[in-house]
Amino acid sequence: MNRWVYLFSEGSKEQKDLLGGKGANLAEMTKLGLPVPTGFTVTTEACLYYLNHGDQLTDELKTQVMTAIEQLSAKTGKKFGDLKNPLLVSVRSGSKFSMPGMMDTVLNLGLNDQTVAALASNSQNERFAYDCYRRLLQMFGNVVMGLDNSTFEGRITALKKVNGLSFDNELTADHWKQIVSEYKELYRKNLQREFPQDPIEQLYLAIEAVFGSWNNARAKTYRRLHGISDDLGTAVNIQEMVFGNFGETSGTGVVFSRNPSLGDPGLFGEYLINAQGEDVVAGVRTPKPIQVLAEDMPEQFNQLKAICENLETHYQDMQDVEFTIEREKLFILQTRSGKRTSKAALTILLDFFKEGIISEDTLVSRIEGKDLEAALHPNFAETALKNRVSFLSGLAASPGAATGAAYFSADAATEAKARGERVVLVREETSPEDIEGIAVSEAVITSRGGMTSHAAVVARGMGICSVVGCERLIVMEEENQATVADETIEEGTILSVDGSSGKVYFGEIPMEEVGHTVALDELHTIWDRHADIKVRANAETPNDIETGMALGAVGIGLARTEHMFFEKTRLLQFRRLILADSLAERLAVLKELKTVQKQDFKYMYEAAGGKPTTIRLLDPPLHEFLPRNAEECREVAKELGKTFNEVKRKTDNLAEVNPMLGFRGLRLGVAYPEIYQMQAEAIIEAACEVTEEQEFSIQPEIMIPFTIDAGEFAHVRQAIEEAIQNNLRDNQRTLDYQIGTMIEIPRACFVADQIAQHADFFSFGTNDLTQMALGLSRDDSPRIVTQYLEAGIFEDDPFQVLDKAGVGALMKLAIEGGRKVNPQLKIGICGEAAAHPKSIDFLNELGIDYISCSPFRIPQAKMTLAKATV
Ligand code: ADP
Ligand code: MG
Ligand code: MG
């Protein structure tokens, strides 16, 4: 014999597959001794059997249902169809996953022309009895017979109008009687049949309707959209009715055990006096906030509060609870985990941990990236976003959301900002020259470039939201406009940019109210206890460093010294350096540059407060700094006091067909050792001075980029060492420092054992390593990568998720080589791909010491690293 039916007293919360979510939780609450009206559940298996066997209720099922009904009768002292004390039940659907609005509920089942009279005389409340009956007629008509709800509602509206009444609770017993006879008429007219008077027939029809609704079109669509299997089926819960519509000492409501939008402790919800079922959500009257119940019915309020706290502790989660009060007695009708905002989610988890409801491991494992992200950045209000359609999308390069007026150049953006406007910078791509324009913007959009493009990197560093690589966007900078298909963006067009989803909208979108912030510091302490791999920041400006430290960085993993030259006057000095004609001219510029660099480094060390700091020597693809056209050459010539021809010739001379594979990193160090020597001296002097001035001491980590070969590295290291030693000797100082290298060229991975003989540490640069390993340009490849993702050739963008098979294998090789020579070799990774949640497991495998990422990615990275340990 198959078992198709379980009493609430027989099930538990673990049985969601069999009993559905609602049924399993009703059983669990019954087991906990909570005041749940008695009932039973017809299983999801019964539903599937029904659907697979010709949509027929079997005799076996019917027998089991009738047995359960008898048990209900025994417990309640009421009987189905009884003329003295009729049993009324609700028939409630409930599958494993809640599917809102999918399969509906029938209340007050068991009423008919006779039992309604019995209920009336029995309760001495005729109005109540006929209110129940009309509700049954309507719900049964709608859910089981498929009649339109509005047909029924229309009758009530008309009756209220005739009588000059506004609310349902003002209608009298006679009014409801009239509605009942009108409803019955609707059955005859629309269905050519009478409303079934036999309670058992009502029950079977209702069960069949719930079973059948599993396969209705709405349900199927919902499941498809939410990735829910079609093979689960729905359970049916049959439960004794309790009546919130009995009068002024009855009511019904819905509460959350904590505030679902902010996470504050304490009940949050609404209730209605003299109401039943979904009146609260249906908006027939305005419900009262749950706190009013504390005054209206303090005893019931306190009981409800205690039950909610009990449920929270039991489920270790915030609960969404349905309750009904019948003549001052409280009943619980449903509990489930409550939906909440990101901010509430984090606050609630932390509070649960502090209140001892969950363990630290549970806290760590339950924090979700999307909630953390949302807590760190401003977001568009979810409700507002729902009704908006984006006209443009690209790569979600830097999270957050912002609205502003479109401008197409850094200068225009800066001017608009000065006028007090909020600005969205729209560019084909950005370059170091745009840095100030980016800094004043609320958001940056580009049509070209990938996750590691200039715009993406800079925006992330500044915490400005950004969408890059918008393929359909055509930017016409000269005309001050851009187009997307047949839409045009003019200067001043208001755009809303969502850097978390990569979508762009026309017009303003309201932002989510940020009530209070989440205590991130507490989370960082907890994460640090869990993760073995440390997280450092990619940062060089004091602002970035402070942000990084505030967001939990344990040090700086990558300070890009070329980023220190993006500001206007420095850019000019830098151009003077690379356009210099002689060593003497270069040395003169270098002397000036050393002073400003030293100042920069002192700021950095101070901002980092003595935490480990890795400074990378210049790594420019030189073209990033060269004048880009004749006009710029003219400007630069004027500013540097050179002739146009000189500048033009020199610029042309330095131009490379493929600058990314050209004159950068160590190649620069070999050709112009004096540049790296200047930087190293600045680093060392700054470190000595800060150590003298502050309570902490600095042991700088000097990082040489782009190594190909051990001999090359040794050659440059020697030049740097010479400068450092001379400097220390001249100043009669000593200092601990390290000189290491970035590993970002495949060849370096193969000869890592040789390089490790000269280098004190390794740091993988995954952006370049990925570019080189795959032979895909990090700036131009988004189009290709998109194609590959669409065709299913790539599972992920290798610039976003570390490519384990290829890049990862190279890294393994390099680590093995390096540690063979120096088992203590410190190894880090800098690059956004490393911080991606999907890369983390692999990092643990690699045995690296730290990763370094842009400040706003740090919490996410720490969260993921900690999660991997529990
Ligand atoms: P949904 O899943 O759409 O919320 P429910 O089955 O929870 O549907 O029921 C709808 C409404 O009817 C809820 O407000 C619930 O509290 C109420 N309800 C369900 N069963 C009973 C019952 N036995 N007595 C009183 N109210 C009930
Ligand atoms: Mg519903
Ligand atoms: Mg419900």
Side-chain angles (χ1 to χ4, degrees), residues 97 99 219-230 232:
F97 302 105
M99 298 168 53
K220 282 187 175 162
T221 311
Y222 184 91
R223 290 199 292 272
R224 186 166 40 76
L225 292 177
H226 292 83
I228 297 173
S229 157
D230 283 334
L232 299 171

Side-chain angles (χ1 to χ4, degrees), residues 22 90 92 105 107 239-242 277-278 322 333-334:
K22 200 181 284 167
S90 62
R92 321 171 63 185
T105 299
L107 301 180
Q239 186 176 28
E240 182 199 1
M241 281 303 300
V242 290
E278 300 196 291
E322 290 174 3
L333 287 162
Q334 187 173 341

Side-chain angles (χ1 to χ4, degrees), residues 571-591:
L571 184 63
L572 190 67
Q573 275 173 312
F574 197 80
R575 283 177 166 168
R576 192 193 297 273
L577 179 73
I578 55 184
L579 296 173
D581 293 310
S582 64
L583 179 63
E585 194 182 342
R586 235 185 347 265
L587 287 176
V589 187
L590 282 170
K591 210 170 147 204

Side-chain angles (χ1 to χ4, degrees), residues 22 37-38 88-94 99-108 139 237-244 252-254 276-281 322-324 333-334 336:
K22 200 181 284 167
T38 50
L88 304 190
V89 296
S90 62
V91 177
R92 321 171 63 185
S93 67
M99 298 168 53
M102 296 313 318
M103 292 157 294
D104 266 313
T105 299
V106 181
L107 301 180
N108 311 319
M139 289 184 176
N237 302 289
I238 292 149
Q239 186 176 28
E240 182 199 1
M241 281 303 300
V242 290
F243 301 102
T252 185
V254 181
Q276 192 179 40
E278 300 196 291
D279 291 357
V280 178
V281 282
E322 290 174 3
F323 69 93
T324 285
L333 287 162
Q334 187 173 341
R336 60 183 161 193

